[in-house]
Amino acid sequence: MLKTGLEHLESLRDGRRVFIGSEAVDDVTTHVAFRNAAKTFAMLYDRKREPENLDLMSFEEDGERFSSWFLMPKSRDDLLKRMETHRRIANWSHGLMGRSPDHVASFVTGLAMKPAMFDAIRPGFGDNIVNYYKYMRANDLFATYTVLPPQGARKPELYERAGMKVPTLRVTAEDDAGVTLNGMKMLGTSAIFCNETWVGNLLP
């Protein structure tokens, strides 16, 4: 699937909760603070579908067409295709979109090329990453990651001495319904415009 810009904008009207200070933003695609960036991301989805870009910005597999940032390179030509794909995304956005749709999609693609690495952690994890890659690719999803705790939370003993909760995101409960998370993660660049967010750690 090659998502259109309009389809991407519509996917952002999903009930997400965004605040600027105490102001709740009802629609990130129309709010004055976000609408131009949202239009830029929509433009990227539309530009790659244009006839003059389609062959380079997408590829066919099993009778379906996918964005080239999901291409698993197996040759020098594949690598050149991916390089030009990323160059055009940077060019069309004047290099100002730090976390564009090709960014996290590319590292998920890379991870899915080595499922044995995940199976070595726990059997079945290799299938998980490959299936997630296929899900992202099939739906042309825009994902980001959120990986840093708030600055002050990097020294949890400061909060513990004051008898306060450590604000970094953590699992606070587990039951049959799943896990309960509380806290914050930072550095979610483009999260407002994404379909999914990976939550992880760059610090222990």
Side-chain angles (χ1 to χ4, degrees):
M1 168 188 176
L2 291 179
K3 187 164 52 174
T4 67
L6 193 60
E7 285 169 336
H8 183 65
L9 292 177
E10 189 56 39
S11 76
L12 303 181
R13 299 183 184 107
D14 58 358
R16 63 190 59 209
R17 298 181 68 203
V18 175
F19 290 86
I20 301 177
S22 59
E23 177 195 355
V25 176
D26 293 327
D27 186 345
V28 298
T29 70
T30 59
H31 191 279
V32 66
F34 304 116
R35 66 188 179 205
N36 289 337
K39 286 177 186 174
T40 297
F41 287 120
M43 174 271 294
L44 296 177
Y45 280 101
D46 285 335
R47 289 288 299 270
K48 71 176 178 176
R49 295 167 52 90
E50 292 173 349
E52 63 270 27
N53 298 314
L54 187 63
D55 284 345
L56 182 105
M57 300 295 291
S58 66
F59 68 101
E60 284 193 22
E61 190 172 296
D62 299 326
E64 291 190 65
R65 188 164 283 276
F66 306 107
S67 295
S68 287
W69 47 75
F70 293 111
L71 176 65
M72 291 184 172
K74 298 179 177 67
S75 67
R76 180 179 176 83
D77 285 344
D78 287 346
L79 287 171
L80 289 171
K81 180 175 181 131
R82 284 194 58 100
M83 181 196 71
E84 180 61 15
T85 292
H86 298 305
R87 191 196 67 77
R88 289 190 189 187
I89 292 290
N91 188 50
W92 294 338
S93 59
H94 306 284
L96 296 174
M97 291 298 181
R99 200 82 56 83
S100 49
D102 54 319
H103 180 81
V104 172
S106 294
F107 84 65
V108 172
T109 300
L111 295 175
M113 293 180 74
K114 192 88 171 171
M117 180 177 70
F118 292 89
D119 280 326
I121 298 168
R122 184 179 296 175
F125 276 18
D127 288 340
N128 290 349
I129 191 65
V130 169
N131 289 335
Y132 183 77
Y133 157 77
K134 289 179 178 177
Y135 161 74
M136 273 192 77
R137 184 183 71 168
N139 294 285
D140 210 5
L141 294 183
F142 183 3
T144 191
Y145 44 66
T146 312
V147 290
L148 287 178
Q151 186 73 29
R154 297 174 198 179
K155 288 186 177 271
E157 62 273 12
L158 297 177
Y159 289 88
E160 289 159 2
R161 278 204 303 267
M164 297 167 58
K165 283 185 182 176
V166 178
T168 194
L169 188 72
R170 59 178 60 195
V171 175
T172 55
E174 292 185 55
D175 56 32
D176 291 342
V179 297
T180 301
L181 301 174
N182 281 288
M184 296 181 282
K185 278 285 184 179
M186 316 290 284
L187 202 66
T189 311
S190 296
I192 287 171
F193 310 105
C194 289
N195 304 117
E196 303 209 346
T197 302
W198 282 45
V199 179
N201 291 303
L202 285 181
L203 295 168

